[in-house]
CSV table of all heavy atoms in Angstrom, one decimal:
chain,number,residue,atom,x,y,z
E,110,MET,N,46.9,103.1,83.7
E,110,MET,CA,48.0,103.8,83.7
E,110,MET,C,47.6,105.3,83.7
E,110,MET,O,46.6,105.7,82.8
E,110,MET,CB,48.9,103.5,82.4
E,110,MET,CG,50.1,104.4,82.3
E,110,MET,SD,51.2,103.7,81.2
E,110,MET,CE,51.1,104.9,80.0
E,111,ARG,N,48.1,106.1,84.5
E,111,ARG,CA,47.7,107.5,84.5
E,111,ARG,C,48.4,108.1,83.3
E,111,ARG,O,49.4,107.8,82.9
E,111,ARG,CB,48.4,108.1,85.8
E,111,ARG,CG,47.6,107.7,87.0
E,111,ARG,CD,48.3,108.6,88.3
E,111,ARG,NE,49.3,109.4,87.8
E,111,ARG,CZ,50.4,109.6,88.5
E,111,ARG,NH1,50.7,109.0,89.6
E,111,ARG,NH2,51.4,110.5,88.2
E,112,THR,N,47.6,109.1,82.6
E,112,THR,CA,48.2,109.8,81.6
E,112,THR,C,49.4,110.6,81.9
E,112,THR,O,50.2,110.8,81.0
E,112,THR,CB,47.1,110.7,81.0
E,112,THR,OG1,46.6,111.6,81.9
E,112,THR,CG2,45.9,109.9,80.4
E,113,LEU,N,49.5,111.0,83.1
E,113,LEU,CA,50.7,111.8,83.5
E,113,LEU,C,52.0,111.0,83.4
E,113,LEU,O,53.0,111.5,83.0
E,113,LEU,CB,50.6,112.4,84.9
E,113,LEU,CG,51.6,113.2,85.4
E,113,LEU,CD1,51.9,114.4,84.5
E,113,LEU,CD2,51.4,113.6,86.8
E,114,GLN,N,51.8,109.6,83.7
E,114,GLN,CA,52.9,108.8,83.5
E,114,GLN,C,53.3,108.6,82.1
E,114,GLN,O,54.5,108.5,81.7
E,114,GLN,CB,52.6,107.4,84.0
E,114,GLN,CG,52.4,107.4,85.5
E,114,GLN,CD,52.0,106.1,86.1
E,114,GLN,OE1,51.2,105.3,85.4
E,114,GLN,NE2,52.3,105.8,87.3
E,115,ALA,N,52.5,108.7,81.1
E,115,ALA,CA,52.7,108.6,79.7
E,115,ALA,C,53.5,109.8,79.2
E,115,ALA,O,54.6,109.7,78.6
E,115,ALA,CB,51.5,108.6,78.8
E,116,VAL,N,53.1,111.0,79.6
E,116,VAL,CA,54.0,112.3,79.3
E,116,VAL,C,55.3,112.2,80.0
E,116,VAL,O,56.3,112.5,79.3
E,116,VAL,CB,53.2,113.5,79.4
E,116,VAL,CG1,53.1,113.8,80.9
E,116,VAL,CG2,53.7,114.5,78.6
E,117,GLU,N,55.3,111.8,81.2
E,117,GLU,CA,56.7,111.7,81.8
E,117,GLU,C,57.6,110.5,81.1
E,117,GLU,O,58.8,111.0,81.0
E,117,GLU,CB,56.5,111.3,83.3
E,117,GLU,CG,55.9,112.3,84.2
E,117,GLU,CD,55.4,111.8,85.5
E,117,GLU,OE1,55.6,110.5,85.8
E,117,GLU,OE2,55.0,112.6,86.3
E,118,PHE,N,57.1,109.4,80.7
E,118,PHE,CA,57.8,108.5,80.0
E,118,PHE,C,58.4,109.1,78.7
E,118,PHE,O,59.5,108.9,78.4
E,118,PHE,CB,57.0,107.2,79.8
E,118,PHE,CG,57.7,106.2,79.0
E,118,PHE,CD1,58.7,105.5,79.5
E,118,PHE,CD2,57.3,106.1,77.6
E,118,PHE,CE1,59.4,104.5,78.7
E,118,PHE,CE2,57.8,105.2,76.8
E,118,PHE,CZ,59.0,104.4,77.2
E,119,LEU,N,57.5,109.7,78.0
E,119,LEU,CA,57.9,110.2,76.6
E,119,LEU,C,58.9,111.4,76.8
E,119,LEU,O,60.0,111.4,76.1
E,119,LEU,CB,56.8,110.9,75.8
E,119,LEU,CG,55.8,109.7,75.2
E,119,LEU,CD1,54.6,110.4,74.6
E,119,LEU,CD2,56.5,108.8,74.3
E,120,SER,N,58.7,112.2,77.8
E,120,SER,CA,59.6,113.2,78.1
E,120,SER,C,61.0,112.8,78.4
E,120,SER,O,62.1,113.3,78.0
E,120,SER,CB,59.3,114.2,79.2
E,120,SER,OG,58.0,114.9,78.7
E,121,ALA,N,61.1,111.7,79.3
E,121,ALA,CA,62.3,111.1,79.5
E,121,ALA,C,62.9,110.4,78.4
E,121,ALA,O,64.2,110.5,78.2
E,121,ALA,CB,62.2,110.2,80.8
E,122,LEU,N,62.1,109.7,77.7
E,122,LEU,CA,62.7,109.0,76.5
E,122,LEU,C,63.4,110.0,75.5
E,122,LEU,O,64.4,109.7,74.9
E,122,LEU,CB,61.6,108.3,75.7
E,122,LEU,CG,61.9,107.4,74.6
E,122,LEU,CD1,62.7,106.2,75.0
E,122,LEU,CD2,60.6,107.0,73.9
E,123,PHE,N,62.8,111.2,75.3
E,123,PHE,CA,63.2,112.2,74.4
E,123,PHE,C,64.4,113.1,75.0
E,123,PHE,O,65.0,113.9,74.3
E,123,PHE,CB,62.1,113.1,74.0
E,123,PHE,CG,61.1,112.4,73.1
E,123,PHE,CD1,59.8,112.9,73.2
E,123,PHE,CD2,61.4,111.5,72.2
E,123,PHE,CE1,58.8,112.3,72.4
E,123,PHE,CE2,60.4,110.9,71.4
E,123,PHE,CZ,59.1,111.3,71.5
E,124,GLY,N,64.6,112.8,76.4
E,124,GLY,CA,65.8,113.7,77.0
E,124,GLY,C,65.3,115.1,77.3
E,124,GLY,O,66.2,115.9,77.3
E,125,CYS,N,64.1,115.3,77.5
E,125,CYS,CA,63.7,116.7,77.6
E,125,CYS,C,64.0,117.0,79.2
E,125,CYS,O,63.9,116.1,80.0
E,125,CYS,CB,62.1,116.9,77.5
E,125,CYS,SG,61.6,116.5,76.0
E,126,THR,N,64.3,118.3,79.4
E,126,THR,CA,64.7,118.7,80.7
E,126,THR,C,63.8,120.0,81.1
E,126,THR,O,63.5,120.7,80.3
E,126,THR,CB,66.2,119.0,80.9
E,126,THR,OG1,66.5,120.0,79.9
E,126,THR,CG2,67.1,117.8,80.7
E,127,LEU,N,63.6,120.2,82.3
E,127,LEU,CA,62.9,121.4,82.7
E,127,LEU,C,63.7,121.9,84.1
E,127,LEU,O,63.7,121.1,85.1
E,127,LEU,CB,61.5,121.1,83.2
E,127,LEU,CG,60.6,122.2,83.6
E,127,LEU,CD1,60.6,123.2,82.5
E,127,LEU,CD2,59.2,121.7,83.9
E,128,LYS,N,64.3,122.9,83.9
E,128,LYS,CA,65.2,123.4,85.0
E,128,LYS,C,64.5,124.2,86.0
E,128,LYS,O,65.1,124.5,87.1
E,128,LYS,CB,66.3,124.3,84.4
E,128,LYS,CG,67.2,123.6,83.4
E,128,LYS,CD,68.2,124.5,82.8
E,128,LYS,CE,69.1,123.6,81.9
E,128,LYS,NZ,69.4,124.1,80.6
E,129,ALA,N,63.2,124.5,85.9
E,129,ALA,CA,62.4,125.0,87.0
E,129,ALA,C,61.7,124.0,87.8
E,129,ALA,O,61.3,123.0,87.2
E,129,ALA,CB,61.3,126.0,86.4
E,130,PRO,N,61.6,124.2,89.0
E,130,PRO,CA,60.9,123.2,90.0
E,130,PRO,C,59.5,123.0,89.9
E,130,PRO,O,58.9,122.3,90.6
E,130,PRO,CB,61.5,123.6,91.5
E,130,PRO,CG,61.5,125.1,91.3
E,130,PRO,CD,62.0,125.4,89.8
E,131,HIS,N,58.9,123.7,89.0
E,131,HIS,CA,57.4,123.8,88.7
E,131,HIS,C,57.1,123.8,87.3
E,131,HIS,O,58.1,124.1,86.4
E,131,HIS,CB,56.8,124.9,89.5
E,131,HIS,CG,57.3,126.2,89.2
E,131,HIS,ND1,57.0,126.9,88.1
E,131,HIS,CD2,58.3,126.9,89.8
E,131,HIS,CE1,57.6,128.1,88.0
E,131,HIS,NE2,58.5,128.1,89.1
E,132,GLY,N,55.9,123.5,86.8
E,132,GLY,CA,55.5,123.7,85.5
E,132,GLY,C,54.8,124.8,85.2
E,132,GLY,O,54.8,125.9,85.9
E,133,GLY,N,54.2,124.9,83.9
E,133,GLY,CA,53.4,126.1,83.6
E,133,GLY,C,53.9,126.8,82.4
E,133,GLY,O,55.0,126.5,81.9
E,134,VAL,N,53.2,127.7,81.8
E,134,VAL,CA,53.6,128.4,80.6
E,134,VAL,C,54.9,129.2,80.9
E,134,VAL,O,55.6,129.4,80.0
E,134,VAL,CB,52.3,129.3,80.1
E,134,VAL,CG1,52.7,130.1,78.9
E,134,VAL,CG2,51.1,128.4,79.8
E,135,PHE,N,54.9,129.8,81.9
E,135,PHE,CA,56.1,130.7,82.3
E,135,PHE,C,57.4,130.2,82.3
E,135,PHE,O,58.4,130.9,82.3
E,135,PHE,CB,55.7,131.5,83.5
E,135,PHE,CG,54.4,132.4,83.5
E,135,PHE,CD1,53.2,131.9,84.2
E,135,PHE,CD2,54.3,133.4,82.6
E,135,PHE,CE1,52.1,132.6,84.1
E,135,PHE,CE2,53.1,134.1,82.4
E,135,PHE,CZ,52.0,133.7,83.3
E,136,VAL,N,57.4,128.9,82.5
E,136,VAL,CA,58.8,128.2,82.6
E,136,VAL,C,59.1,127.6,81.3
E,136,VAL,O,60.1,126.8,81.2
E,136,VAL,CB,58.9,127.2,83.7
E,136,VAL,CG1,58.7,127.9,85.1
E,136,VAL,CG2,57.9,126.1,83.6
E,137,PHE,N,58.4,127.7,80.2
E,137,PHE,CA,58.5,127.0,78.9
E,137,PHE,C,59.9,127.4,78.3
E,137,PHE,O,60.5,126.6,77.8
E,137,PHE,CB,57.4,127.3,77.9
E,137,PHE,CG,57.5,126.5,76.7
E,137,PHE,CD1,57.3,125.1,76.7
E,137,PHE,CD2,58.0,126.9,75.5
E,137,PHE,CE1,57.3,124.3,75.6
E,137,PHE,CE2,58.1,126.3,74.4
E,137,PHE,CZ,57.8,124.9,74.4
E,138,GLY,N,60.4,128.5,78.6
E,138,GLY,CA,61.7,129.0,78.0
E,138,GLY,C,62.9,128.1,78.6
E,138,GLY,O,64.0,128.2,78.1
E,139,THR,N,62.7,127.5,79.8
E,139,THR,CA,63.7,126.7,80.5
E,139,THR,C,63.7,125.3,80.0
E,139,THR,O,64.6,124.5,80.6
E,139,THR,CB,63.7,126.9,81.9
E,139,THR,OG1,62.4,126.3,82.3
E,139,THR,CG2,63.6,128.3,82.4
E,140,VAL,N,62.9,124.9,79.1
E,140,VAL,CA,62.7,123.5,78.7
E,140,VAL,C,63.8,123.1,77.7
E,140,VAL,O,64.1,123.9,76.8
E,140,VAL,CB,61.4,123.2,78.1
E,140,VAL,CG1,61.4,121.8,77.5
E,140,VAL,CG2,60.2,123.4,79.1
E,141,GLY,N,64.6,122.0,78.0
E,141,GLY,CA,65.6,121.5,77.1
E,141,GLY,C,64.8,120.7,76.0
E,141,GLY,O,63.9,119.9,76.4
E,142,GLN,N,65.0,120.6,74.8
E,142,GLN,CA,64.4,119.8,73.8
E,142,GLN,C,63.0,120.3,73.7
E,142,GLN,O,62.1,119.4,73.8
E,142,GLN,CB,64.5,118.3,74.1
E,142,GLN,CG,65.8,117.7,74.2
E,142,GLN,CD,66.5,117.6,72.8
E,142,GLN,OE1,65.9,117.7,71.9
E,142,GLN,NE2,67.8,117.3,72.9
E,143,PRO,N,62.7,121.5,73.4
E,143,PRO,CA,61.3,122.0,73.4
E,143,PRO,C,60.4,121.3,72.4
E,143,PRO,O,59.2,121.2,72.7
E,143,PRO,CB,61.5,123.5,73.2
E,143,PRO,CG,62.8,123.8,72.6
E,143,PRO,CD,63.6,122.6,73.1
E,144,PHE,N,60.9,121.0,71.2
E,144,PHE,CA,60.2,120.4,70.2
E,144,PHE,C,59.6,119.0,70.8
E,144,PHE,O,58.4,118.7,70.6
E,144,PHE,CB,61.0,120.2,69.0
E,144,PHE,CG,60.1,119.3,67.9
E,144,PHE,CD1,59.2,119.9,67.1
E,144,PHE,CD2,60.5,118.0,67.6
E,144,PHE,CE1,58.4,119.2,66.3
E,144,PHE,CE2,59.7,117.3,66.8
E,144,PHE,CZ,58.7,118.0,65.9
E,145,PHE,N,60.5,118.2,71.3
E,145,PHE,CA,60.0,116.8,71.8
E,145,PHE,C,59.0,117.0,73.1
E,145,PHE,O,58.3,116.2,73.3
E,145,PHE,CB,61.3,116.1,72.2
E,145,PHE,CG,61.8,115.6,70.9
E,145,PHE,CD1,63.1,115.9,70.6
E,145,PHE,CD2,61.2,114.8,69.8
E,145,PHE,CE1,63.8,115.5,69.4
E,145,PHE,CE2,61.8,114.4,68.7
E,145,PHE,CZ,63.1,114.7,68.5
E,146,TYR,N,59.3,118.1,73.8
E,146,TYR,CA,58.4,118.4,75.0
E,146,TYR,C,57.0,118.6,74.5
E,146,TYR,O,56.1,118.1,75.0
E,146,TYR,CB,58.9,119.6,75.8
E,146,TYR,CG,58.3,119.9,77.0
E,146,TYR,CD1,58.5,119.2,78.2
E,146,TYR,CD2,57.3,121.0,77.0
E,146,TYR,CE1,57.8,119.4,79.4
E,146,TYR,CE2,56.7,121.2,78.2
E,146,TYR,CZ,56.9,120.5,79.3
E,146,TYR,OH,56.3,120.7,80.5
E,147,ILE,N,56.9,119.4,73.4
E,147,ILE,CA,55.6,119.6,72.8
E,147,ILE,C,54.9,118.4,72.2
E,147,ILE,O,53.8,118.2,72.3
E,147,ILE,CB,55.7,120.7,71.7
E,147,ILE,CG1,56.0,122.2,72.5
E,147,ILE,CG2,54.4,120.8,71.0
E,147,ILE,CD1,56.3,123.2,71.5
E,148,VAL,N,55.8,117.5,71.5
E,148,VAL,CA,55.4,116.3,71.0
E,148,VAL,C,54.8,115.4,72.2
E,148,VAL,O,53.7,114.9,72.0
E,148,VAL,CB,56.5,115.5,70.3
E,148,VAL,CG1,56.1,114.1,69.9
E,148,VAL,CG2,56.9,116.2,69.0
E,149,SER,N,55.5,115.4,73.3
E,149,SER,CA,55.1,114.6,74.4
E,149,SER,C,53.7,115.2,75.0
E,149,SER,O,52.8,114.4,75.3
E,149,SER,CB,56.1,114.6,75.5
E,149,SER,OG,57.3,114.2,75.0
E,150,TRP,N,53.6,116.3,74.9
E,150,TRP,CA,52.4,117.0,75.5
E,150,TRP,C,51.3,116.7,74.6
E,150,TRP,O,50.2,116.3,75.1
E,150,TRP,CB,52.7,118.5,75.5
E,150,TRP,CG,51.8,119.4,76.4
E,150,TRP,CD1,50.9,118.9,77.2
E,150,TRP,CD2,51.7,120.8,76.5
E,150,TRP,NE1,50.2,120.0,77.8
E,150,TRP,CE2,50.8,121.1,77.4
E,150,TRP,CE3,52.4,121.8,75.7
E,150,TRP,CZ2,50.5,122.5,77.6
E,150,TRP,CZ3,52.1,123.1,76.0
E,150,TRP,CH2,51.2,123.4,76.9
E,151,LEU,N,51.3,116.7,73.2
E,151,LEU,CA,50.4,116.5,72.3
E,151,LEU,C,50.0,115.0,72.3
E,151,LEU,O,48.8,114.6,72.3
E,151,LEU,CB,50.7,116.9,70.8
E,151,LEU,CG,50.9,118.5,70.8
E,151,LEU,CD1,51.5,118.7,69.3
E,151,LEU,CD2,49.6,119.1,70.9
E,152,ALA,N,50.9,114.1,72.4
E,152,ALA,CA,50.8,112.7,72.6
E,152,ALA,C,49.8,112.4,73.8
E,152,ALA,O,48.8,111.6,73.8
E,152,ALA,CB,52.0,111.9,72.5
E,153,ASP,N,50.3,113.1,74.9
E,153,ASP,CA,49.4,112.8,76.1
E,153,ASP,C,48.1,113.3,76.0
E,153,ASP,O,47.1,112.8,76.4
E,153,ASP,CB,50.1,113.5,77.3
E,153,ASP,CG,49.4,113.3,78.6
E,153,ASP,OD1,49.1,112.2,79.0
E,153,ASP,OD2,49.1,114.4,79.3
E,154,SER,N,47.9,114.5,75.2
E,154,SER,CA,46.6,115.0,75.1
E,154,SER,C,45.7,114.0,74.2
E,154,SER,O,44.5,113.9,74.5
E,154,SER,CB,46.6,116.3,74.3
E,154,SER,OG,47.2,117.2,75.2
E,155,ALA,N,46.3,113.4,73.3
E,155,ALA,CA,45.6,112.5,72.4
E,155,ALA,C,45.2,111.2,73.2
E,155,ALA,O,44.0,110.7,73.1
E,155,ALA,CB,46.5,112.2,71.2
E,156,VAL,N,46.1,110.8,74.0
E,156,VAL,CA,45.8,109.6,74.8
E,156,VAL,C,44.7,109.8,75.8
E,156,VAL,O,43.7,109.1,76.1
E,156,VAL,CB,47.0,109.0,75.5
E,156,VAL,CG1,46.7,108.0,76.6
E,156,VAL,CG2,48.1,108.5,74.5
E,157,THR,N,44.7,110.9,76.4
E,157,THR,CA,43.7,111.4,77.3
E,157,THR,C,42.4,111.6,76.7
E,157,THR,O,41.3,111.1,77.2
E,157,THR,CB,44.1,112.8,77.9
E,157,THR,OG1,45.3,112.6,78.7
E,157,THR,CG2,43.0,113.2,79.0
E,158,ALA,N,42.3,112.1,75.4
E,158,ALA,CA,41.1,112.3,74.7
E,158,ALA,C,40.4,110.9,74.4
E,158,ALA,O,39.3,110.7,74.5
E,158,ALA,CB,41.2,113.1,73.4
E,159,VAL,N,41.3,110.0,73.9
E,159,VAL,CA,40.8,108.6,73.6
E,159,VAL,C,40.3,107.9,74.8
E,159,VAL,O,39.2,107.3,74.8
E,159,VAL,CB,41.8,107.8,72.9
E,159,VAL,CG1,41.5,106.4,72.8
E,159,VAL,CG2,42.2,108.4,71.5
E,160,MET,N,41.0,108.0,75.9
E,160,MET,CA,40.5,107.3,77.2
E,160,MET,C,39.2,108.0,77.7
E,160,MET,O,38.3,107.4,78.0
E,160,MET,CB,41.6,107.5,78.3
E,160,MET,CG,42.8,106.7,77.9
E,160,MET,SD,44.2,106.9,79.2
E,160,MET,CE,43.4,106.7,80.7
E,161,PHE,N,39.1,109.3,77.7
E,161,PHE,CA,37.9,110.0,78.0
E,161,PHE,C,36.7,109.6,77.2
E,161,PHE,O,35.6,109.5,77.7
E,161,PHE,CB,38.1,111.6,77.9
E,161,PHE,CG,36.9,112.3,78.4
E,161,PHE,CD1,36.7,112.4,79.8
E,161,PHE,CD2,36.2,113.0,77.6
E,161,PHE,CE1,35.7,113.1,80.3
E,161,PHE,CE2,35.1,113.8,78.0
E,161,PHE,CZ,34.8,113.8,79.3
E,162,GLY,N,36.9,109.5,75.8
E,162,GLY,CA,35.9,109.0,74.9
E,162,GLY,C,35.4,107.6,75.2
E,162,GLY,O,34.1,107.4,75.3
E,163,PHE,N,36.2,106.7,75.7
E,163,PHE,CA,35.8,105.3,76.1
E,163,PHE,C,35.1,105.4,77.4
E,163,PHE,O,34.1,104.7,77.6
E,163,PHE,CB,37.1,104.5,76.3
E,163,PHE,CG,37.5,104.0,74.9
E,163,PHE,CD1,38.8,104.1,74.7
E,163,PHE,CD2,36.7,103.2,73.9
E,163,PHE,CE1,39.3,103.6,73.4
E,163,PHE,CE2,37.3,102.8,72.8
E,163,PHE,CZ,38.6,102.9,72.6
E,164,ILE,N,35.5,106.2,78.4
E,164,ILE,CA,34.9,106.4,79.6
E,164,ILE,C,33.4,106.9,79.5
E,164,ILE,O,32.6,106.4,80.1
E,164,ILE,CB,35.7,107.2,80.5
E,164,ILE,CG1,37.0,106.4,81.0
E,164,ILE,CG2,35.0,107.6,81.8
E,164,ILE,CD1,38.0,107.3,81.7
E,165,LYS,N,33.5,108.0,78.7
E,165,LYS,CA,32.0,108.7,78.4
E,165,LYS,C,31.2,107.6,77.7
E,165,LYS,O,29.9,107.6,78.0
E,165,LYS,CB,32.1,109.9,77.7
E,165,LYS,CG,32.9,111.0,78.4
E,165,LYS,CD,31.9,111.5,79.6
E,165,LYS,CE,30.8,112.3,79.1
E,165,LYS,NZ,30.0,112.8,80.2
E,166,LYS,N,31.7,106.9,76.9
E,166,LYS,CA,30.8,105.9,76.1
E,166,LYS,C,30.3,104.8,77.0
E,166,LYS,O,29.1,104.5,77.0
E,166,LYS,CB,31.5,105.3,75.0
E,166,LYS,CG,30.7,104.3,74.0
E,166,LYS,CD,31.8,103.7,73.1
E,166,LYS,CE,31.0,102.5,72.4
E,166,LYS,NZ,31.8,101.9,71.4
E,167,ASN,N,31.0,104.3,77.8
E,167,ASN,CA,30.7,103.4,78.8
E,167,ASN,C,29.7,103.9,79.7
E,167,ASN,O,28.7,103.1,80.1
E,167,ASN,CB,31.9,102.7,79.7
E,167,ASN,CG,32.7,101.9,78.6
E,167,ASN,OD1,32.3,101.4,77.5
E,167,ASN,ND2,33.9,101.6,79.0
E,168,ALA,N,29.9,105.2,80.3
E,168,ALA,CA,28.9,105.8,81.3
E,168,ALA,C,27.6,105.9,80.7
E,168,ALA,O,26.6,105.8,81.2
E,168,ALA,CB,29.6,107.0,81.7
E,169,ARG,N,27.6,106.3,79.4
E,169,ARG,CA,26.4,106.5,78.8
E,169,ARG,C,25.5,105.3,78.4
E,169,ARG,O,24.3,105.2,78.6
E,169,ARG,CB,26.6,107.2,77.3
E,169,ARG,CG,25.3,107.8,76.6
E,169,ARG,CD,25.6,108.5,75.4
E,169,ARG,NE,26.7,109.4,75.5
E,169,ARG,CZ,27.7,109.5,74.7
E,169,ARG,NH1,27.9,108.6,73.6
E,169,ARG,NH2,28.8,110.5,74.8
E,170,GLU,N,26.2,104.2,78.1
E,170,GLU,CA,25.6,103.0,77.9
E,170,GLU,C,25.1,102.3,79.3
E,170,GLU,O,24.1,101.7,79.3
E,170,GLU,CB,26.6,101.9,77.3
E,170,GLU,CG,27.0,102.2,75.8
E,170,GLU,CD,28.0,101.4,75.3
E,170,GLU,OE1,28.6,100.6,76.1
E,170,GLU,OE2,28.3,101.3,74.2
E,171,THR,N,25.8,102.5,80.3
E,171,THR,CA,25.5,102.0,81.6
E,171,THR,C,24.2,102.8,82.2
E,171,THR,O,23.3,102.2,82.7
E,171,THR,CB,26.6,102.2,82.7
E,171,THR,OG1,27.8,101.6,82.2
E,171,THR,CG2,26.2,101.7,84.0
E,172,ARG,N,24.1,104.1,82.0
E,172,ARG,CA,23.0,104.9,82.4
E,172,ARG,C,21.7,104.5,81.7
E,172,ARG,O,20.6,104.6,82.2
E,172,ARG,CB,23.4,106.3,82.2
E,172,ARG,CG,22.4,107.2,82.9
E,172,ARG,CD,22.7,108.7,82.9
E,172,ARG,NE,24.0,109.0,82.2
E,172,ARG,CZ,24.2,110.1,81.5
E,172,ARG,NH1,23.2,111.0,81.4
E,172,ARG,NH2,25.4,110.3,80.9
E,173,CYS,N,21.8,104.2,80.4
E,173,CYS,CA,20.6,103.9,79.6
E,173,CYS,C,20.1,102.6,79.8
E,173,CYS,O,18.9,102.3,79.6
E,173,CYS,CB,21.0,104.0,78.0
E,173,CYS,SG,21.5,105.7,77.6
E,174,GLU,N,20.8,101.7,80.4
E,174,GLU,CA,20.3,100.4,80.7
E,174,GLU,C,19.4,100.2,81.9
E,174,GLU,O,19.2,100.9,82.6
E,174,GLU,CB,21.5,99.3,80.9
E,174,GLU,CG,22.2,99.1,79.6
E,174,GLU,CD,23.4,98.1,79.8
E,174,GLU,OE1,23.7,97.9,81.0
E,174,GLU,OE2,24.1,97.8,78.8
């Protein structure tokens, strides 16, 4: 599962809306449910960090063998 799908799922679950057709810092003022948008963003960052940790661990073990 792509991590982008995780944040999209959480944003939809929380009912977050983004009225701009693009993302970025400058459109943050147009976000509906900004608290839950940030929660989704942080949850996605945590999932990405854990997945990256597993990938790097496996790559290191494979290289040493």
Side-chain angles (χ1 to χ4, degrees):
M110 181 164 109
R111 293 182 358 222
T112 56
L113 182 59
Q114 289 173 338
V116 75
E117 290 170 354
F118 172 75
L119 288 175
S120 293
L122 183 69
F123 294 144
C125 300
T126 58
L127 181 60
K128 296 179 177 136
H131 54 83
V134 176
F135 299 111
V136 298
F137 187 72
T139 65
V140 172
Q142 303 282 350
F144 175 74
F145 290 116
Y146 186 78
I147 292 172
V148 168
S149 301
W150 201 11
L151 293 175
D153 181 53
S154 297
V156 168
T157 301
V159 169
M160 289 175 54
F161 185 69
F163 283 124
I164 290 169
K165 289 295 284 184
K166 180 181 174 186
N167 291 339
R169 195 176 311 125
E170 290 173 354
T171 303
R172 192 173 358 143
C173 292
E174 291 178 354

